[in-house]
Amino acid sequence: MEISVPSYKLVLLLPFSLVLFLTTKLSLPASARTLDNNSKVYIVYLGQREHDDPERVTASHHQMLESLLESKEDAHNSMIYSYQHGFSGFAALLTSSQAKKISDHREVIHVIPNRILKLKTTRTWDHLGLSPVSTSFSSSSVKGLLHDTNMGSEAIIGVLDTGIWPESKVVSDQGLGPIPKRWKGKCVSGENFNATTHCNNKLIGAKYYLKGLLAGIGGEFNRTIVHDFQSSRDANGHGTHTATIAGGSFVPNASYYGLAQGTVRGGAPKARIASYKVCWNIAGDDGGESTGSCTSADMWKAFDDAIHDGVDVLSVSIGGSIPEDSEVDKLDNIAAFHAVSKGIPVVAAAGNEGPAAQTVDNVAPWFLTVAATTLDRSFPTKITLGNNQTFLAESLYTGPDISTGLAFLDSNSDDNVDVKGKTVLVFDSTTPITGKGVAGVILAQKPDDLLQRCHSFACIFADYELGTDILQYIRTTRSPTVRINSATTLTGLPATTKVAAFSCRGPNSVSPAILKPDIAAPGVSILAALSPFDSKEHDGFGLDTGTSMSTPVVSGIIALLNLYTLIGLLPHLDQLWSQQPGGQVYLENLFLLKDQTRSLQIHLTLEEVL
């Protein structure tokens, strides 16, 4: 889940809109809209499949609905999805009384209301000691993990997200061999997405899931609400970014306005990518920025298909709010359980509501839940006051050096104060800036590991101590001035790795005995590919932050490790993480997860101690 920019920072940004999309409307079939207006989408979960034939499974679902609705036609119109591959169940439009009635059926385990979930939003691999060339962090033995697996060329990474931008260089199949023969998935054509030309030996799967969302917003694909393509094409950018991190191909000389320059690639750079678009770019409230929204009904179908298709690992940078139910199997995690029961690890984001305790999301024991850490990389920005005092803050500002007057603003400042052409110091997160014609903003705040580029002026991020020093200068100087240099990229000390401030913390509020998060990985200012419609994109790439970014880091590594047997895997794990200064990773234990009526599953869990 990609972390969102806090509301106070939105004040500093110019509004962004997708002007490409017109107000045309696409709809669910008219027959589906003739059902009771009080109908909502419910997921009816039936457990393991009773038949190996998917068509027989689906037929049994229709029979159950028909007996409930007493009409074959109504049953057909009510059905949204049939889950027929990895497990048995279906999503259907039902009234609350119908949902209650079918929940009493002897074959039904749970009836679950559909709900809306959210996205959780180069240097990484060198930092983790997983580089194809020798670095200060990697040894030749660690290098062997990439080469022994041919950089993951036989691995298939499934990504549940906002789709993919197929023209991106990160999905180039140059140098890749044929698609693994075990692959059963496919690419599906749609709006501005041609399965024949846009898929290749890298992007081997592309499907999209929309029925659950449409049923929840009135049945119409209304482009004033859904700012997206009705296909696997990614208008949001989040899915392209996460897919890059997990399994993107090598792209040299990538950067974000010259920052973080280097070779972009995924953890398993030759792995195959299967994109399952379950999240859609939905217009924000009151005309705000679009956000990625995903429904559990659509996600269940994607899990079902992924199990059938033959992915090796599933990367899910999606989640809800802090857990609200005391029984994890009553939420939206059952589909993921069935994937894990088939030997497919499911890697999920811990969430971005930290640093408070008991905020961790995706706490079901079969998830590998990932927290976010910083990298040993920073973007220092030099600030020189008129009295020649010099400070280092951070920013993504890459424009020319600016020299201006300096002023202080807060929510009580006189609206008539002229700050046009000046740099302003701000402590108050609600201080209005837009429209005042400022040349720059120095935002003094509690460190949160978040950086944002402002396109109309320089945005500099400082802590309270630095802000207080600057304020003292302003208040003791008749005509204060400041000079701001453009940001540079610094790797190594003084920047060190730590758990990011926003990353959700344990303990697990649902079941404290199950330790969550399981592992932490880099998730701050990660450079990867983006959709051109993402406001953070520049020349095809951008920096994003969140446990959404740390999740595919782990997914990419698992794709490599999955090519080893367990015996061959353990030495590489020890070598891989023992290289990190100031940290160690150890094998915590082997979890034995057992459903009351299912087979025993064995999972290897890692915990990182920083």
Side-chain angles (χ1 to χ4, degrees):
M1 74 193 46
E2 171 195 354
I3 196 163
S4 58
V5 181
S7 58
Y8 64 82
K9 291 183 181 176
L10 293 178
V11 176
L12 307 178
L13 303 178
L14 291 177
F16 173 75
S17 61
L18 299 178
V19 296
L20 170 73
F21 301 109
L22 306 178
T23 57
T24 55
K25 297 181 179 180
L26 301 174
S27 308
L28 285 175
S31 56
R33 301 198 304 276
T34 63
L35 298 171
D36 192 311
N37 288 333
N38 293 321
S39 296
K40 297 180 180 179
V41 177
Y42 289 86
I43 298 171
V44 181
Y45 173 59
L46 305 174
Q48 293 280 30
R49 297 186 307 168
E50 294 185 358
H51 312 287
D52 291 332
D53 184 353
E55 292 185 3
R56 290 185 63 189
V57 176
T58 298
S60 69
H61 298 162
H62 280 284
Q63 290 171 4
M64 183 178 291
L65 259 185
E66 185 177 340
S67 65
L68 172 71
L69 303 177
E70 300 179 343
S71 166
K72 189 172 184 178
E73 182 181 359
D74 285 351
H76 176 78
N77 294 339
S78 172
M79 184 76 74
I80 299 294
Y81 288 119
S82 174
Y83 308 124
Q84 58 190 180
H85 297 298
F87 51 93
S88 180
F90 58 88
L93 284 164
L94 302 171
T95 63
S96 58
S97 60
Q98 290 168 342
K100 186 178 186 303
K101 185 176 180 180
I102 201 170
S103 68
D104 294 330
H105 194 286
R106 61 184 177 82
E107 295 181 13
V108 173
I109 297 177
H110 284 313
V111 176
I112 308 167
N114 188 33
R115 67 170 181 150
I116 302 292
L117 303 173
K118 299 292 184 183
L119 300 170
K120 299 295 189 185
T121 202
T122 57
R123 167 76 177 159
T124 305
W125 307 112
D126 288 347
H127 178 66
L128 290 179
L130 192 64
S131 174
V133 296
S134 181
T135 70
S136 59
F137 287 92
S138 65
S139 65
S140 58
S141 58
V142 175
K143 172 184 169 184
L145 179 62
L146 276 175
H147 287 268
D148 290 351
T149 61
N150 193 23
M151 302 192 186
S153 65
E154 292 299 309
I156 301 170
I157 302 174
V159 182
L160 272 65
D161 216 293
T162 64
I164 194 81
W165 192 261
E167 290 83 6
S168 175
K169 295 177 182 178
V170 299
V171 289
S172 166
D173 64 353
Q174 183 176 357
L176 290 183
I179 296 170
K181 292 181 179 179
R182 58 192 168 83
W183 175 244
K184 299 178 183 177
K186 61 181 180 180
C187 288
V188 177
S189 293
E191 183 184 4
N192 286 9
F193 191 96
N194 186 305
T196 302
T197 59
H198 286 136
C199 286
N200 54 26
N201 286 350
K202 179 71 172 182
L203 180 62
I204 64 174
K207 299 179 181 178
Y208 62 99
Y209 304 84
L210 186 58
K211 293 178 182 178
L213 177 69
L214 292 185
I217 60 174
E220 294 183 334
F221 192 94
N222 187 334
R223 294 194 187 274
T224 61
I225 299 174
V226 187
H227 294 179
D228 216 320
F229 299 95
Q230 196 175 22
S231 70
S232 293
R233 184 173 288 278
D234 181 13
N236 180 283
H238 191 274
T240 303
H241 203 272
T242 55
T244 304
I245 298 169
S249 299
F250 287 92
V251 181
N253 298 318
S255 72
Y256 183 63
Y257 292 95
L259 296 175
Q261 188 166 11
T263 296
V264 164
R265 69 170 179 89
K270 290 189 176 181
R272 318 309 168 107
I273 294 172
S275 172
Y276 298 90
K277 183 175 179 178
V278 295
C279 301
W280 299 82
N281 215 33
I282 304 300
D285 296 335
D286 302 322
E289 278 200 1
S290 300
T291 58
S293 295
C294 338
T295 73
S296 49
D298 292 332
M299 290 180 64
W300 275 51
K301 186 57 180 173
F303 274 113
D304 188 41
D305 282 352
I307 293 169
H308 166 268
D309 294 344
V311 302
D312 294 311
V313 59
L314 281 166
S315 190
V316 186
S317 296
I318 303 167
S321 55
I322 296 171
E324 300 169 351
D325 201 308
S326 60
E327 297 181 64
V328 294
D329 66 347
K330 285 189 177 180
L331 292 175
D332 303 300
N333 306 319
I334 306 172
F337 170 80
H338 282 281
V340 173
S341 74
K342 301 295 191 296
I344 304 170
V346 178
V347 187
N352 304 319
E353 288 73 42
Q358 295 186 315
T359 52
V360 62
D361 194 11
N362 289 319
V363 296
W366 44 89
F367 282 129
L368 185 60
T369 308
V370 186
T373 70
T374 61
L375 284 167
D376 65 335
R377 180 177 68 192
S378 59
F379 303 107
T381 304
K382 184 178 178 182
I383 299 173
T384 305
L385 303 181
N387 61 2
N388 289 325
Q389 277 187 287
T390 299
F391 304 96
L392 285 179
E394 271 202 278
S395 78
L396 300 180
Y397 174 67
T398 55
D401 297 351
I402 58 174
S403 296
T404 71
L406 182 61
F408 171 65
L409 279 183
D410 64 14
S411 56
N412 297 318
S413 296
D414 189 339
D415 289 339
N416 295 322
V417 173
D418 183 16
V419 293
K420 185 175 181 179
K422 294 183 178 181
T423 298
V424 295
L425 172 68
V426 173
F427 285 85
D428 190 339
S429 62
T430 62
T431 303
I433 300 297
T434 304
K436 293 185 178 293
V438 300
V441 175
I442 300 173
L443 178 60
Q445 59 178 356
K446 179 181 178 180
D448 60 6
D449 299 314
L450 300 175
L451 295 177
Q452 181 68 40
R453 182 182 176 90
C454 301
H455 293 282
S456 57
F457 44 76
C459 289
I460 315 300
F461 299 92
D463 59 22
Y464 285 131
E465 181 179 3
L466 194 156
T468 301
D469 289 341
I470 296 174
L471 180 60
Q472 178 67 16
Y473 165 70
I474 293 172
R475 287 177 169 171
T476 58
T477 306
R478 183 182 299 275
S479 299
T481 60
V482 65
R483 180 178 178 84
I484 296 174
N485 297 98
S486 61
T488 58
T489 302
L490 176 66
T491 57
L493 295 174
T496 57
T497 300
K498 63 182 178 63
V499 175
F502 59 80
S503 187
C504 283
R505 267 66 167 177
N508 174 356
S509 63
V510 175
S511 299
I514 300 174
L515 300 181
K516 293 288 179 175
D518 296 294
I519 193 169
V524 174
S525 297
I526 305 300
L527 182 68
L530 284 173
S531 162
F533 291 100
D534 191 312
S535 60
K536 300 180 290 294
E537 182 269 348
H538 177 72
D539 288 343
F541 295 90
L543 296 168
D544 256 350
T545 291
T547 53
S548 274
M549 285 66 244
S550 56
T551 297
V553 170
V554 175
S555 301
I557 293 174
I558 287 178
L560 295 176
L561 299 178
N562 201 41
L563 300 177
Y564 278 83
T565 63
L566 186 62
I567 299 300
L569 173 155
L570 297 179
H572 282 288
L573 285 178
D574 178 65
Q575 293 162 358
L576 177 59
W577 274 282
S578 66
Q579 302 298 318
Q580 294 189 69
Q584 89 184 77
V585 167
Y586 59 91
L587 299 180
E588 182 185 344
N589 52 19
L590 290 175
F591 274 107
L592 302 180
L593 303 178
K594 184 176 181 182
D595 184 80
Q596 293 179 354
T597 60
R598 274 66 171 184
S599 59
L600 196 65
Q601 302 300 319
I602 299 177
H603 299 278
L604 181 67
T605 301
L606 305 173
E607 177 170 299
E608 178 163 339
V609 181
L610 299 176

